[in-house]
Amino acid sequence: MSDFSVKPVLTGDKAVLRPFTEADAEVMAEVIADPEVIRFTGPPAAELTPERLRSWYGSRSAQPDRLDLAVTDRATGELVGEVVLHEWDARARSCTFRTLIGPRGRDRGLGSEATRLVVGHGFERLGLHRIELEVYGHNARALRVYEKAGFKVEGVRREADLRDGAWVDWVLMGLLDREWAALTLTAR
């Protein structure tokens, strides 16, 4: 099991995942400010100034305990979002996954492919045993993507968050290395 210090380029049919640079901050500011992204991820904890975003995205490649990759459209090179493996537990060989895809990357299979690419990297290259995530119960698009990638619902934190005046559930999902291996065998 290695750590997350190697920042790969992962290429699929539709998407290319690559390390972030400071230059990505401007586009990611637009992605993060998208109303649908805010609806399903929540507002930022602090004001995201251009300087703060440049510093954040410029420093992602130096983080050995997490893997943040830019999701780009393979055909155009356009940056459309991010995938992240974080909260790494070396002893348990597990981590948490999260993603966000902006409006220009939606409904074209980029998020689904990006999810499969980074999850596959986690299991096949990094030797992870388990990848987990939390998603709002009303985020039907994300739930479909995660289920297609093999994640299984493990539990629901009922009415765990107040969003736009309504209580919403958090759905906990997980995927194990042997489940991923079985999925990739049947896909061949």
Side-chain angles (χ1 to χ4, degrees):
M1 172 76 191
S2 60
D3 63 16
F4 292 167
S5 50
V6 173
K7 310 302 180 189
V9 173
L10 306 174
T11 304
D13 295 333
K14 300 175 181 183
V16 175
L17 311 186
R18 61 158 175 82
F20 275 108
T21 69
E22 242 183 67
D24 295 321
E26 193 174 323
V27 173
M28 286 307 297
E30 293 171 25
V31 169
I32 293 164
D34 173 64
E36 187 167 323
V37 168
I38 291 170
R39 181 170 167 230
F40 292 127
T41 63
E47 186 191 351
L48 298 178
T49 63
E51 298 75 24
R52 187 171 283 168
L53 285 168
R54 277 195 301 275
S55 171
W56 175 261
Y57 287 105
S59 67
R60 294 306 81 205
S61 291
Q63 309 301 315
D65 62 339
R66 57 184 288 146
L67 178 62
D68 300 74
L69 294 174
V71 177
T72 65
D73 181 324
R74 183 175 175 176
T76 64
E78 182 182 21
L79 172 62
V80 297
E82 67 183 12
V83 289
V84 181
L85 297 177
H86 64 120
E87 297 177 348
W88 179 43
D89 181 336
R91 187 190 55 74
R93 291 182 20 230
S94 70
C95 71
T96 300
F97 169 70
R98 72 172 180 75
T99 183
L100 52 88
I101 302 293
R104 291 190 299 277
R106 290 190 199 124
D107 300 318
R108 296 191 290 139
L110 292 170
S112 293
E113 188 176 72
T115 296
R116 288 191 304 272
L117 285 168
V118 78
V119 165
H121 177 76
F123 287 127
E124 297 163 21
R125 299 275 180 260
L126 300 176
L128 291 173
H129 171 64
R130 173 187 165 78
I131 300 175
E132 63 186 37
L133 61 87
E134 285 187 348
V135 58
Y136 280 128
H138 65 288
N139 190 344
R141 175 189 286 125
L143 285 163
R144 265 195 320 278
V145 166
Y146 302 146
E147 285 168 356
K148 275 190 345 196
F151 283 89
K152 304 228 182 321
V153 173
E154 296 180 337
V156 177
R157 292 175 44 219
R158 298 173 308 136
E159 297 185 8
D161 205 351
L162 186 61
R163 299 302 317 275
D164 301 321
W167 291 107
V168 294
D169 297 343
W170 276 108
V171 178
L172 284 65
M173 301 180 82
L175 180 56
L176 303 176
D177 52 3
R178 64 180 172 272
E179 295 167 337
W180 176 258
L183 275 173
T184 55
L185 274 177
T186 54
R188 288 186 186 136

